[in-house]
Amino acid sequence: MSATLTIAGATVREASRKKLVVALALITVVGIALTGFGFWRLTVLAHQLDRGAPRLDVAELKTVTSQLLIVAMFAFSFVLALSTVFMAAPSIAGELESGVAAAVLTRPIRRVQFLAGKWLGLAVLTAGYVVVASSLEFLVVDLVTGYRPPHPLGFMAFLTGEALVTLTLTTLLSTRMSSVTGGVVALGGFMLAWMGGIAVALGAALNNHGVATVGTLTRMIMPSDGLWRGAVYSLEPAAWIAGILGSGRTQAAANPFFAPSGPPVAYLLWVGVWAVAVFSAASWSFRRREI
Amino acid sequence: MPDASDAAIVTTGLTKTYGSVTAVAGLSMAVPRGEVFGFLGPNGAGKTTAVKLLLGLARPTSGSATVLGARAGDASARRRIGYLPELFRYQVWLTAYEVLVLHCRLARIPTSRTRAEVERALVTVGLAERAHDRVGTFSKGMQQRLGLGVALLGNPEVVFLDEPTSALDPVGRKDVRDIIRNLRDRGMTVFLNSHLLGEVEQVCDRVAVVHHGSVIASGQLDALLSDSGVRVRVDGLGAATGKLQRFGELHRDGDWISVDGVALETVPDLVAEIVALGGRVYAVEPRHQSLEDRFMELLGGES
């Protein structure tokens, strides 16, 4: 087994031994149960008769359900970002502080292998969490309301991408900053990117080129929000998007829970380049780091 | 300095600066294979920095170092060394057994040999009964034992031990001394970084004393402590005392005469001369300089 896989395995084991996996599972189960209850109540209310007719017809219920699901998944994506930052910020810094890195790096292992192992272990945990938690949420919503989002796999892919972008940036910071500082900076970057996403949409809606440019630049520098828009798009029924765009309510695009289209292929290619560049920077930084 | 051609570790003008602070200043030394080498110095002398340079954890500002013939830090050298860091805390969520298995994998020890290696290390450092307990439940001394076990995995040719007994009780220290002697008997080179001079004196063949980042004395321990002498309690010698100067430098303190620089085998001749000169001898105390005395003397002269 290569050194990278050994470190990745140890990283996964660390998360499970520290009860991080159990804690996240509990929070997720509670969240899914609460949202499931909410969706069930919504369905009951929608079917109640109001002057002889249900309060919401099938199309309206589908729309409301899809919107509430996006809001619920936004909350989930925020928990995911926080978890990713909390796991990744000490991934290198913590090992340097404890002296573990000094003992490990005197073995015949290259620093990039150590870094890649840490990243890979956390990436597996993150992706696994996204797939399991999203699948459960979609399943519960389907059972309770009969609604299925149009592109669940696309959602999982985009959300995993968003988490990996956050993970990669936090790993870079962890090679030079203490756990707390790196975590705060990474979280700040994540939030700024989210605000940048709103700026892009606002700039477009208000025809303000300056605001839109700042937002676009933010999205390029920290692509987490760009991928989040892809995740939102994957959850939107086509009729809902057509309705919004057809109504001419362009300012709706500024809504962080609405995406008129998925990210273009060129942007996804850029995200790939960004990830490789940031990981390379992390590798270079860690290689140059004196222990 | 010993012959560098067959040395396990050689440094030439090794220097490390951090901004305006010089941690290691032109360190030049050679550590012969198969010896226990004591690297001594007060806190802040640059000992740990020097070890990190030898392990490739830090880069020298100038100068060079080789370990087992390879540039310090090269993977080929790292395959054949073991290291116990000074300040460390192994993964608290793992058991001692799991920590050792992890390091076996990183050290590329074949899976078929892993179990035997781990069990041998556990027995060597006295942790066999705690093998399956989490490291988080270990005392500092037990963690140090585990660290030593990790350093010994895979039969390394050179073992770097940075303050290996600082957290141990007297029994643990004796155990570590025995382990170090055993390593030497097996032909390993041990680079012992310590400020516990009593420990060093008991196990080292050769020492180097560093101060302000450079070596101020080095050599075989016996040679370094050659400044021996004898104290004699005597009366009735009077003015004849001066005739004893041919044995060494004299110091008078009441009834006691100290003669510095007298080899042990010359002491009977000295006593015979005192008696021949009419002196009455009440006590003879050969004095052997301790490493601590020598260390303080060296630092006093340099600081």
Side-chain angles (χ1 to χ4, degrees):
Chain A
M1 190 159 60
S2 82
T4 300
L5 291 180
T6 301
I7 297 294
T11 305
V12 172
R13 185 153 53 177
E14 175 183 355
S16 60
R17 292 276 173 88
K18 281 183 168 175
K19 300 191 172 58
L20 182 68
V21 172
V22 175
L24 268 180
L26 280 175
I27 290 171
T28 307
V29 166
V30 169
I32 291 171
L34 286 173
T35 53
F37 176 75
F39 282 114
W40 173 72
R41 287 295 301 159
L42 174 69
T43 310
V44 170
L45 288 171
H47 288 108
Q48 281 179 354
L49 296 178
D50 183 18
R51 278 173 284 182
R55 290 187 176 192
L56 295 174
D57 63 26
V58 173
E60 286 171 331
L61 178 60
K62 183 177 178 182
T63 299
V64 173
T65 304
S66 70
Q67 291 303 290
L68 287 177
L69 182 60
I70 289 172
V71 174
M73 296 318 274
F74 173 74
F76 169 60
S77 79
F78 195 72
V79 170
L80 180 69
L82 279 175
S83 315
T84 305
V85 167
F86 284 144
M87 286 193 296
S91 62
I92 303 298
E95 304 287 56
L96 291 170
E97 286 158 16
S98 68
V100 165
V104 168
L105 293 172
T106 49
R107 297 294 179 195
I109 167 175
R110 287 184 294 143
R111 292 196 184 186
V112 66
Q113 290 178 302
F114 183 76
L115 193 77
K118 284 281 173 187
W119 187 93
L120 183 62
L122 294 177
V124 166
L125 283 167
T126 307
Y129 179 53
V130 168
V131 170
V132 171
S134 304
S135 301
L136 272 177
E137 177 72 10
F138 295 155
L139 183 68
V140 167
V141 170
D142 186 12
L143 286 173
V144 172
T145 69
Y147 171 73
R148 289 181 187 176
H151 307 293
L153 293 180
F155 171 83
M156 291 181 211
F158 279 117
L159 197 61
T160 301
E162 182 191 0
L164 295 186
V165 159
T166 309
L167 168 64
T168 310
L169 175 68
T170 315
T171 303
L172 165 64
L173 297 173
S174 184
T175 62
R176 289 286 160 171
M177 295 178 179
S178 72
S179 304
V180 174
T181 310
V184 168
V185 173
L187 212 53
F190 178 83
M191 294 308 294
L192 281 175
W194 188 67
M195 289 166 68
I198 296 175
V200 170
L202 264 180
L206 303 174
N207 275 330
N208 187 319
H209 185 67
V211 172
T213 304
V214 168
T216 303
L217 279 175
T218 312
R219 220 175 241 185
M220 300 292 280
I221 294 168
M222 177 62 185
S224 54
D225 186 72
L227 295 171
W228 165 245
R229 296 284 165 159
V232 171
Y233 180 73
S234 303
L235 296 182
E236 293 171 327
W240 164 249
I241 299 172
I244 291 282
L245 296 180
S247 70
R249 287 184 288 148
T250 51
Q251 65 271 33
N255 179 351
F257 306 118
F258 176 72
S261 59
V265 173
Y267 183 73
L268 296 180
L269 288 174
W270 161 250
V271 174
V273 171
W274 181 95
V276 170
V278 173
F279 186 82
S280 301
S283 172
W284 179 84
S285 166
F286 190 42
R287 207 169 52 244
R288 302 290 302 168
R289 171 89 192 239
E290 304 225 330
I291 294 169
Chain B
M1 198 163 77
D3 180 16
S5 60
D6 190 37
I9 300 165
V10 179
T11 69
T12 310
L14 195 64
T15 300
K16 180 66 182 176
T17 58
Y18 296 99
S20 60
V21 177
T22 301
V24 176
L27 190 69
S28 295
M29 62 182 186
V31 178
R33 287 176 191 257
E35 287 193 3
V36 180
F37 184 84
F39 198 55
L40 319 177
N43 290 334
K47 303 190 300 292
T48 294
T49 304
V51 169
K52 287 182 174 179
L53 292 171
L54 292 173
L55 293 166
L57 294 174
R59 287 181 305 279
T61 307
S62 62
S64 64
T66 60
V67 176
L68 297 168
R71 190 170 59 87
D74 272 7
S76 60
R78 281 186 282 145
R79 276 193 195 95
R80 298 185 287 159
I81 64 169
Y83 171 46
L84 168 67
E86 179 186 12
L87 299 171
F88 69 99
R89 186 169 168 79
Y90 284 119
Q91 294 90 334
V92 293
W93 56 90
L94 294 178
T95 66
Y97 194 95
E98 289 168 338
V99 168
L100 290 162
V101 169
L102 176 67
H103 277 266
C104 280
R105 286 182 182 154
L106 294 173
R108 300 183 191 178
I109 293 168
T111 312
S112 58
R113 273 179 45 210
T114 296
R115 188 171 173 178
E117 275 289 331
V118 168
E119 287 176 353
R120 185 172 60 84
L122 285 165
V123 169
T124 302
V125 299
L127 283 178
E129 290 181 5
R130 300 293 302 269
H132 299 289
D133 290 346
R134 294 263 178 103
V135 176
T137 66
F138 280 13
S139 67
K140 205 164 181 311
M142 288 169 69
Q143 290 202 36
Q144 204 153 36
R145 284 174 181 267
L146 176 60
L148 187 58
V150 168
L152 301 182
L153 287 171
N155 243 348
E157 292 173 47
V158 178
V159 185
F160 291 88
L161 305 177
D162 199 348
E163 305 290 0
T165 57
S166 58
L168 296 177
D169 58 23
V171 176
R173 288 182 183 183
K174 183 184 178 303
D175 288 350
V176 171
R177 286 199 299 272
D178 290 344
I179 290 170
I180 291 174
R181 289 190 188 105
N182 182 257
L183 296 178
R184 175 178 48 202
D185 294 345
R186 283 158 52 192
M188 281 189 202
T189 306
V190 180
F191 189 98
L192 179 61
N193 190 354
S194 179
H195 63 260
L196 297 174
L197 302 176
E199 303 291 316
V200 171
E201 195 168 3
Q202 290 185 62
V203 294
C204 288
D205 303 300
R206 191 181 296 272
V207 298
V209 180
V210 281
H211 192 37
H212 297 317
S214 53
V215 174
I216 55 174
S218 67
Q220 287 187 315
L221 198 57
D222 294 343
L224 204 67
L225 303 180
S226 61
D227 184 17
S228 56
V230 65
R231 271 176 18 117
V232 185
R233 190 176 164 219
V234 60
D235 71 3
L237 210 51
T241 304
K243 293 186 177 175
L244 300 177
Q245 277 181 344
R246 68 185 177 90
F247 289 96
E249 193 178 333
L250 301 182
H251 302 279
R252 183 105 207 198
D253 180 16
D255 288 345
W256 288 95
I257 297 172
S258 295
V259 188
D260 293 344
V262 179
L264 197 62
E265 58 271 20
T266 317
V267 172
D269 298 335
L270 172 70
V271 173
E273 179 73 9
I274 292 171
V275 172
L277 291 169
R280 292 168 62 81
V281 176
Y282 293 93
V284 178
E285 293 180 359
R287 178 169 56 81
H288 189 73
Q289 190 180 34
S290 72
L291 183 56
E292 185 171 333
D293 294 337
R294 182 72 174 126
F295 183 79
M296 297 310 293
E297 183 181 288
L298 286 165
L299 293 195
E302 289 287 324
S303 58

